[in-house]
Amino acid sequence: MGCDANPSKIQKTSMGLLKKLGLAQKKREGAPMIGESRKKEQDAVANRKKVYIRWAIFVSFLLVLFYSLPNNTFRQMSSYTLEEPWRADDLIAPFTFALNKSPAELEAEREQIRANTPLIFHINENARVTSQSRFDSLYNELEPVLDAYLQWQRARNNPDVSAANDSLRFLQQRNSVDLELTNSSWEFLLDSYATVHIENQPTSEFIGTQIRNRINDLITSMMNSGIINLSKEDLETDEITVRDLSQRTERTISVNNVRDLDEAREHAHFEFSRIYSTPGVNLARELFQEVLLPNWIYNEEDTQARLAEAMENISRTKGAIAQGEVIIRRGDIVTEDRANILRSLSDARADTATDIERWVRFLGDILILTISSLFFLIYLYLYRRQIYESSSMFLLVFLVMAIVSFASGIVYSFDNISAFIVPIAIAPLILTIIFDSRVGLMAAVTLAIVTAIFHDNHFEYLIATILACSFGVFSVRDINKRTQFFVTTPFVIILGYLLVLSGFALTRYGGWENLLDNLSYVTVNAVFILFTYPLILFFEKTFNITTDFTLLELSDTNLPLLKELMNKAPGSFHHSLQVSNLAESAASAIGANALKCRVGALYHDIGKIKKPGYFIENQTGHNEHNNLKPRMSALVIKAHVSDGVKMAQENNLPETIIEFIRTHHGTSLIKYFYDKAQKNSTNESEIQEEDFRYDGPIPSTRETGILMLADSVEAACRSMKDPTYSKLENLINRIVDDYVHEGQMNHCPLTFHQLDIIKKTFLNIQVGVYHSRIEYPDDEEKSSKTEKKQAGEATEPDGSRQTTDQKPPAEENGANPPDGSGSSGEEEHRPDNQP
């Protein structure tokens, strides 16, 4: 068995095989480092932990997809469109099934039930007593008024008595009564009362007593037949149901046999007009209004309960389709009736499906979802290993996709909402902005497949979603301003859906109503896309990532940190602006992240804020380095990197920007001060090169590598005396080549072809900057020949003049001392290690 094999022999055999293939590790001289084996074990444990975390995330994503599968996916729906030909084979009923009523038929029956179900009223036994009590209280309040009026009238008829006090008392009594009567009714009532008592007539002659008796009789009569508290105009039925809860009885009567409040008033007015004159009719009508109450009260709860019970008893079917009956033939027009039969067959399949059939269908959906998800996972493993290896980024990708998938599954459960309302494009847009467009495109394809499975394998939805989301990804591939995201992207997505859905409508020669409905949902979809921006901000804070939106905000030169650089180190600020232009152009030329290069360049020299006077671009004449030893000057120059990193961290700059600050000089040598130290030292062996090198690290991305080159090129070209095209070209080539030869680009994934493009880009920009001072090659040659004829001087091959007191061309094409340190006018200028 394999367990009996000697492990050492197996290891020797494998090592021998690797050695033959040239893949064996190089032998190390000396003893192994202390703790090296332990570190390997710790790395192995960490890697295994990452693997478990990734699989846990991926399995959780699959579980979300499986949970989001709607139950309706068990329905076997055929693809068809109303009023268009049936393109599938002849469909024959596989079994006998009930024919469902159409939604319109069901709604018509519901309307009929609503129209035929009588409203339920409860008898209020206390209404008559309450009305009588109101009348008694009203007359009790009237008696003091009537008596005061009678005393006033008697006083007026007696010339020996003053009626002023009686008049005031009457007015006070009348104003204290809460009774709304017109003046004519008051006069009629008061005069009748005074006449009866002054002339000693029977009290039955008083009009108030007559009206009171008549109103009591009318109210009793009308309440016996019923007064309802609803207007008859609001009743939809011809009958009502009256329930007497005390007697536990219920009866249904015609609406014509009852009165509402308006009819009760009209009937009372008619009865009054038969007996009284006009003043009496008005008085009786006004008093009747004060005491009228309905005694049959509408009960909404009981009525709705009866309606609900009747609705539940509606039959959902209307006949049946026998087994073997032809449902529809190929080429037949799909009418509404035939579509209803197809829906009935689908419902019957779902209702009669066995558990085995359901599980088979469910397993089929799971298989497709799993394959689709594995497709995306394999893409990340093969082509986006950085995302795959980072647990947080891996979680971010599948979390975004899971949220959109879950939302799509929820929407499907609503029959009246189209699948196109779900903003599937949110996930690809987020992943494109955070990572790149390729990740966004693969996510768009994967999500389109997954959500199409949710929506009954909808082919039209699948194609429209893939293309519209892809258009959206293209629109945010390079974001330069926010309006591009808030205006352009939603418009592009709507346009993508419009074109695809219109294309499908044209291929079917119809379906325009369905197209308009879908486009309305697509418009809402595009509005939801606007929520992508706050979601990106949320993911940025949660996962500590930097997107183009953050870079755009950081590129604002009015931010406090850049303002401080501009105020305290204006020369360094101007230098940073020029470097940002160079780096951005070079990055665009080779397809790198131009925005990241620009922002990184703006902040790469913020460390010079601490000691701006030690850098030549900020000096106004005095050179601070004249008072320092070369080693101390080198320490000051090196410190601007560490100071910049510290300031960036204090101002919460993203780590990707801090990396630009940390690596923009790599581990290059501060050659100016190194050479100066060697010249000033009696023992050159005491000068350690490490003391004059930056701490690094060297650039590890294309963007940081571009910044290193742009930084040195800009500083060197800026300090060049009498720049010419050839001088600039030679200088740029030498700076880039020196960095390559020194190994500063060893970790930077820039190819030699890309370096050539970067050189040309730098040259074109610098020629444009110094165009008023540059002689191009042809002009240089003519100028040199003229000078040769006039002065008899020798002409160098590059067109530059060389006299006896000139420096060699390699030194003439020089620049300021390293990192902008100052020098006297007699000192040599070198282009090495510019800021």
Side-chain angles (χ1 to χ4, degrees):
M1 297 292 291
C3 60
D4 297 332
N6 190 338
S8 61
K9 290 183 179 180
I10 297 175
Q11 185 176 5
K12 289 180 180 179
T13 302
S14 61
M15 291 299 294
L17 179 60
L18 292 174
K19 186 176 182 181
K20 291 180 181 180
L21 295 175
L23 301 176
Q25 295 181 349
K26 294 182 179 180
K27 294 183 179 179
R28 297 182 180 178
E29 297 181 359
M33 296 177 62
I34 298 175
E36 184 176 356
S37 59
R38 179 177 296 179
K39 184 176 184 302
K40 288 184 177 179
E41 292 178 0
Q42 292 175 349
D43 291 342
V45 171
N47 290 333
R48 285 196 299 270
K49 184 178 179 181
K50 287 183 178 180
V51 172
Y52 297 148
I53 291 175
R54 283 196 295 269
W55 279 107
I57 294 171
F58 183 70
V59 171
S60 300
F61 173 70
L62 290 178
L63 293 177
V64 172
L65 297 186
F66 301 158
Y67 179 78
S68 301
L69 271 172
N71 293 329
N72 288 340
T73 54
F74 296 121
R75 302 177 184 272
Q76 299 180 359
M77 294 292 293
S78 302
S79 179
Y80 63 87
T81 305
L82 284 174
E83 305 303 330
E84 293 186 11
W86 175 261
R87 292 180 173 83
D89 296 333
D90 296 351
L91 182 61
I92 299 175
F95 51 84
T96 301
F97 61 92
L99 182 61
N100 294 336
K101 294 178 181 177
S102 66
E105 292 173 327
L106 290 174
E107 185 60 28
E109 290 192 21
R110 295 189 187 100
E111 288 295 332
Q112 186 176 5
I113 289 175
R114 295 188 189 99
N116 296 332
T117 301
L119 302 184
I120 296 177
F121 289 81
H122 289 179
I123 296 178
N124 182 9
E125 298 290 346
N126 296 325
R128 186 175 302 175
V129 177
T130 303
S131 179
Q132 184 65 44
S133 298
R134 278 190 181 185
F135 221 164
D136 293 340
S137 299
L138 179 62
Y139 268 80
N140 290 334
E141 292 179 4
L142 281 175
E143 284 184 3
V145 179
L146 296 174
D147 291 338
Y149 181 78
L150 178 62
Q151 294 299 327
W152 177 37
Q153 294 301 316
R154 286 176 175 172
R156 289 178 61 187
N157 295 330
N158 189 350
D160 299 330
V161 179
S162 175
N165 292 333
D166 295 322
S167 174
L168 291 175
R169 188 167 65 88
F170 161 70
L171 291 176
Q172 291 175 353
Q173 292 291 341
R174 176 176 170 177
N175 293 333
S176 64
V177 176
D178 185 16
L179 178 62
E180 295 184 0
L181 296 179
T182 61
N183 291 331
S184 59
S185 296
W186 271 113
E187 291 177 1
F188 183 69
L189 177 65
L190 296 171
D191 289 343
S192 175
Y193 184 82
T195 300
V196 168
H197 285 79
I198 291 174
E199 297 180 359
N200 295 322
Q201 296 179 3
T203 55
S204 59
E205 296 295 326
F206 174 46
I207 189 63
T209 303
Q210 298 176 11
I211 291 176
R212 178 179 182 178
N213 295 332
R214 186 56 185 163
I215 289 177
N216 284 331
D217 293 340
L218 277 175
I219 288 178
T220 300
S221 172
M222 285 191 287
M223 284 190 175
N224 288 335
S225 60
I227 303 174
I228 61 177
N229 64 333
L230 295 182
S231 174
K232 285 187 176 181
E233 295 179 355
D234 297 332
L235 301 180
E236 298 180 358
T237 60
D238 296 331
E239 294 180 332
I240 62 172
T241 298
V242 181
R243 288 180 178 176
D244 189 341
L245 298 182
S246 61
Q247 301 294 328
R248 295 185 179 181
T249 59
E250 177 180 295
R251 55 196 174 100
T252 301
I253 61 177
S254 174
V255 173
N256 297 326
N257 295 331
V258 298
R259 296 184 179 91
D260 59 15
L261 291 174
D262 290 337
E263 288 182 340
R265 296 187 189 98
E266 292 177 359
H267 178 70
H269 185 270
F270 173 74
E271 292 294 332
F272 294 147
S273 62
R274 294 173 54 191
I275 303 173
Y276 307 115
S277 60
T278 300
V281 171
N282 292 335
L283 175 62
R285 180 172 54 81
E286 292 171 9
L287 292 175
F288 181 80
Q289 177 69 27
E290 292 289 333
V291 298
L292 176 63
L293 289 175
N295 67 325
W296 288 2
I297 309 302
Y298 169 66
N299 190 281
E300 183 178 6
E301 183 178 353
D302 289 359
T303 303
Q304 293 300 324
R306 172 172 289 183
L307 280 173
E309 181 180 359
M311 296 289 187
E312 291 178 358
N313 293 330
I314 295 177
S315 174
R316 298 299 192 269
T317 62
K318 55 172 183 179
I321 301 296
Q323 181 178 2
E325 184 178 345
V326 177
I327 297 176
I328 190 171
R329 299 184 185 276
R330 183 182 181 89
D332 289 348
I333 300 299
V334 182
T335 62
E336 182 59 42
D337 291 338
R338 285 171 174 163
N340 185 50
I341 297 175
L342 294 173
R343 288 193 294 267
S344 300
L345 175 60
S346 176
D347 293 340
R349 286 182 187 273
D351 294 337
T352 59
T354 63
D355 291 339
I356 295 177
E357 291 174 335
R358 293 175 180 271
W359 277 107
V360 168
R361 181 69 183 273
F362 184 67
L363 290 176
D365 290 337
I366 286 179
L367 180 61
I368 300 175
L369 292 175
T370 304
I371 294 174
S372 302
S373 303
L374 282 173
F375 162 77
F376 185 71
L377 178 66
I378 293 172
Y379 167 78
L380 294 179
Y381 177 78
L382 294 178
Y383 301 104
R384 290 295 179 271
R385 186 61 67 88
Q386 290 182 341
I387 300 176
Y388 181 83
E389 295 292 344
S390 173
S391 299
S392 60
M393 296 299 99
F394 193 83
L395 172 63
L396 170 61
V397 170
F398 284 99
L399 177 62
V400 172
M401 297 176 64
I403 292 174
V404 174
S405 301
F406 183 72
S408 180
I410 293 177
V411 168
Y412 184 81
S413 60
F414 296 95
D415 295 333
N416 298 327
I417 300 180
S418 171
F420 290 104
I421 199 174
V422 182
I424 302 297
I426 284 182
L429 292 178
I430 291 177
L431 298 180
T432 299
I433 294 171
I434 294 177
F435 301 109
D436 56 59
S437 58
R438 294 175 180 83
V439 176
L441 286 174
M442 297 303 295
V445 174
T446 304
L447 285 173
I449 295 173
V450 168
T451 54
I453 295 171
F454 290 171
H455 298 282
D456 289 330
N457 305 322
H458 202 311
F459 176 74
E460 182 177 330
Y461 169 85
L462 172 66
I463 301 301
T465 301
I466 290 177
L467 296 180
C469 291
S470 300
F471 291 154
V473 167
F474 296 151
S475 69
V476 298
R477 185 172 179 269
D478 295 309
I479 294 182
N480 296 320
K481 45 190 176 181
R482 292 181 181 87
T483 54
Q484 179 181 347
F485 180 81
F486 287 106
V487 178
T488 305
T489 299
F491 174 76
V492 167
I493 292 174
I494 292 177
L495 181 62
Y497 276 115
L498 173 63
L499 294 176
V500 176
L501 295 178
S502 298
F504 278 106
L506 290 173
T507 59
R508 293 194 301 264
Y509 298 101
W512 299 108
E513 294 182 359
N514 190 34
L515 171 64
L516 295 176
D517 291 339
N518 287 334
L519 287 180
S520 63
Y521 287 108
V522 166
T523 303
V524 178
N525 180 329
V527 173
F528 286 150
I529 297 298
L530 300 179
F531 289 99
T532 306
Y533 186 75
L535 286 175
I536 290 174
L537 297 180
F538 169 76
F539 288 123
E540 278 188 308
K541 299 299 182 182
T542 304
F543 291 90
N544 194 24
I545 55 180
T546 305
T547 66
D548 286 352
F549 288 123
T550 301
L551 295 177
L552 282 172
E553 293 174 354
L554 292 175
S555 65
D556 185 1
T557 55
N558 290 316
L559 292 177
L561 194 56
L562 294 180
K563 276 282 190 182
E564 187 178 4
L565 177 64
M566 180 177 63
N567 293 328
K568 294 184 178 180
S572 299
F573 177 76
H574 182 266
H575 162 71
S576 298
L577 292 178
Q578 300 302 320
V579 173
S580 67
N581 293 331
L582 284 174
E584 183 179 23
S585 300
S588 298
I590 67 170
N593 192 325
L595 180 59
K596 186 182 292 185
C597 277
R598 178 175 182 81
V599 178
L602 288 175
Y603 289 89
H604 80 285
D605 268 348
I606 58 174
K608 293 181 179 180
I609 295 175
K610 296 289 186 180
K611 298 177 181 178
Y614 286 87
F615 302 92
I616 192 171
E617 67 266 21
N618 301 314
Q619 293 174 1
T620 58
H622 176 66
N623 185 3
E624 301 287 349
H625 291 278
N626 292 337
N627 302 324
L628 300 178
K629 293 182 179 180
R631 181 176 297 177
M632 183 58 65
S633 293
L635 289 175
V636 173
I637 297 301
K638 289 168 57 176
H640 88 276
V641 176
S642 57
D643 290 340
V645 171
K646 184 178 180 181
M647 293 180 66
Q649 291 172 344
E650 291 174 352
N651 286 270
N652 297 321
L653 290 184
E655 183 61 32
T656 184
I657 302 302
I658 298 177
E659 191 66 18
F660 280 95
I661 303 173
R662 188 180 288 119
T663 63
H664 76 277
H665 282 301
T667 58
S668 58
L669 179 67
I670 307 177
K671 190 170 177 58
Y672 176 79
F673 290 116
Y674 178 69
D675 292 342
K676 187 175 181 181
Q678 286 184 324
K679 290 178 182 179
N680 296 339
S681 177
T682 56
N683 185 4
E684 294 186 1
S685 61
E686 295 179 354
I687 306 303
Q688 299 296 323
E689 187 176 295
E690 288 75 13
D691 295 338
F692 293 87
R693 284 193 176 274
Y694 287 97
D695 298 329
I698 62 176
S700 58
T701 64
R702 292 189 300 174
E703 290 78 14
T704 53
I706 291 172
L707 175 63
M708 171 183 279
L709 300 177
D711 186 26
S712 292
V713 166
E714 197 283 328
C717 294
R718 173 166 42 85
S719 59
M720 177 180 288
K721 295 180 180 180
D722 299 325
T724 64
Y725 186 93
S726 298
K727 287 181 180 181
L728 288 173
E729 184 178 23
N730 293 336
L731 177 61
I732 291 172
N733 289 336
R734 185 164 63 83
I735 291 175
V736 175
D737 293 341
D738 285 348
Y739 275 126
V740 173
H741 295 154
E742 290 175 10
Q744 299 298 318
M745 296 288 152
N746 286 355
H747 294 171
C748 185
L750 285 172
T751 65
F752 285 107
H753 175 65
Q754 290 174 337
L755 288 174
D756 289 337
I757 296 175
I758 292 172
K759 291 177 183 178
K760 294 177 181 178
T761 304
F762 287 166
L763 179 60
N764 291 335
I765 293 176
Q766 293 302 92
V767 167
V769 172
Y770 302 106
H771 67 281
S772 61
R773 301 162 54 191
I774 288 180
E775 293 182 1
Y776 286 84
D778 293 340
D779 298 332
E780 255 184 87
E781 185 176 353
K782 295 177 182 178
S783 176
S784 299
K785 289 180 179 180
T786 302
E787 292 176 357
K788 182 177 179 181
K789 290 179 181 180
Q790 293 178 352
E793 296 172 342
T795 305
E796 296 300 320
D798 64 351
S800 61
R801 293 182 297 143
Q802 182 172 348
T803 60
T804 56
D805 61 343
Q806 270 189 308
K807 301 178 182 69
E811 295 183 359
E812 181 185 1
N813 296 347
N816 294 325
D819 288 282
S821 60
S823 65
S824 63
E826 306 296 329
E827 289 179 323
E828 178 184 18
H829 293 268
R830 298 180 183 272
D832 307 280
N833 302 298
Q834 296 301 320

